[in-house]
Amino acid sequence: MAQRLRHTLVLEPGFGPPSPYAWSGLPESPETTERVAHRLGLHGEGGLLVPDRGYGHRLKSVLSRRSLVRRGLRHGELEVLSRVAALLVNEHTGNIQVLDREQRPLDPQALMLLLRVDPDGVRQSVDEQIQQHQQRLEGLVTLHHCTPAPGEQPLLSPMAAEEPEPAMLPFRAGLWERFLALWSARRRACLASRRRRWQEQQQQVRLAWLQRLHRHAGQFERLRRLYQAARQGQRQALEGVLAHRLSMVPWPRVTQVAFQLSDDLRGLTLEVDVPDPALFPYTKLRPHPRGAGVLVTWLSDGARRRLHREHAHATGVRLIGEALAAIPQVHWLVLSAHGRGRAGDPVRGHYLYSVRVERGGWRGLVFEEFSSHPPERILSGFEYRQTLDGQGNWRPVQPFSTQPPEAL
């Protein structure tokens, strides 16, 4: 970040909404960095896919059901199958990797063995990863579709239980075991010991559930007090509400945001660090018409530049919408985005675009139609600065002043 603003948030990617109550709030320190979103590990430079870690469990169920298939396997092949934990599609080459529990690739012959034992399962896993890749690629440029309209006061959604109460399962012993326990004291003692261990396990399960429920209720109570203080106009509470709302957005990339409220709470300065163009996806994937292969289409340099530019503007639109919806006292804001203007640029720190938005003008937009308008067009309707060269790369611009409009 070029300016030193009051708060900096590192929002990590999440393609499913995290729990709205698993948030600890802004620290007391006025200048700090806080991680406020859940993690999702991304593999490879510019990669969007993660291993399908559920495939190993599905493979075990297939082998247990298909005894005839298992009888036709040699001992060495069974050992290889027992090490399979996940499948991963390499989105740069289209190769399918078989991973063990430590996420290390197995021998390429393991894939041939899987295609012989469970071809439908491999094809299903590959198709799911291709679909995930497409959804996450689209998520880079559709982030602004769910931009909220500015409201009078932010509201906290009602608390929902994370999980239902676990059922207490009764202890069950076999008919033969109960019959032997009638005639043997040692068998009765063994059966009673198993019953006690079973009851202790059930109690531990219920105790763990009660602890999670108590922690969930405590998190909700802290957020309820935070939103109540925000309705009273407390500065730190308003900043906390904004940070909480930003943490709930399913960001497709690691997003670093800095913000600072003015002294009179009427102005807000936002800065977003746009991800490096070199870290954006290179390819599009589609299933092979025959077999379980993957066909890879490489994006042109122009397509990647457009993808990077659309993502930067979609991020800006979503940040503006979330800020004006979270803090009703704000009447104007300045959003500036900075980073590298093109892949391989050694200079990092110049501003890519800057926009000044007033609440009255933003409220006049039709938010239901955001999905049919490019985000750059939405921002260009306000005071907006951006300069591109002949190839579509960003040139440095001067950000708008953080002074209120009437002082300029």
Side-chain angles (χ1 to χ4, degrees), residues 2 97 100 109 163-164 167-168 175 212 243 248 305 333 388:
Q97 293 179 315
D100 62 9
Q109 296 297 326
E163 55 182 310
M168 301 298 291
L175 179 62
R212 290 192 298 270
M248 293 304 302
R305 284 194 295 268
L333 63 81
L388 302 176

Side-chain angles (χ1 to χ4, degrees), residues 40-52:
L40 180 66
L42 301 179
H43 288 235
E45 183 181 11
L48 292 175
L49 289 178
V50 295
D52 181 8

Side-chain angles (χ1 to χ4, degrees), residues 237-311:
L238 290 170
E239 294 171 339
V241 169
L242 175 58
H244 177 248
R245 289 183 68 105
L246 293 180
S247 72
M248 293 304 302
V249 177
W251 302 99
R253 281 306 205 201
V254 175
T255 305
Q256 186 171 345
V257 180
F259 66 91
Q260 182 171 328
L261 276 169
S262 61
D263 295 336
D264 59 358
L265 304 182
R266 293 175 58 86
L268 177 66
T269 303
L270 282 166
E271 283 194 7
V272 57
D273 193 15
V274 179
D276 196 295
L279 299 180
F280 270 65
Y282 295 87
T283 60
K284 288 185 177 180
L285 306 179
R286 65 181 189 274
H288 198 282
R290 295 188 299 271
V294 180
L295 297 178
V296 179
T297 302
W298 284 78
L299 298 176
S300 64
D301 293 340
R304 293 191 67 201
R305 284 194 295 268
R306 288 192 299 271
L307 180 67
H308 183 252
R309 195 163 61 246
E310 289 182 21
H311 170 68

Side-chain angles (χ1 to χ4, degrees), residues 42-62:
L42 301 179
H43 288 235
E45 183 181 11
L48 292 175
L49 289 178
V50 295
D52 181 8
R53 296 183 175 89
Y55 177 75
H57 299 286
R58 294 199 297 268
L59 178 63
K60 291 180 181 178
S61 63
V62 168

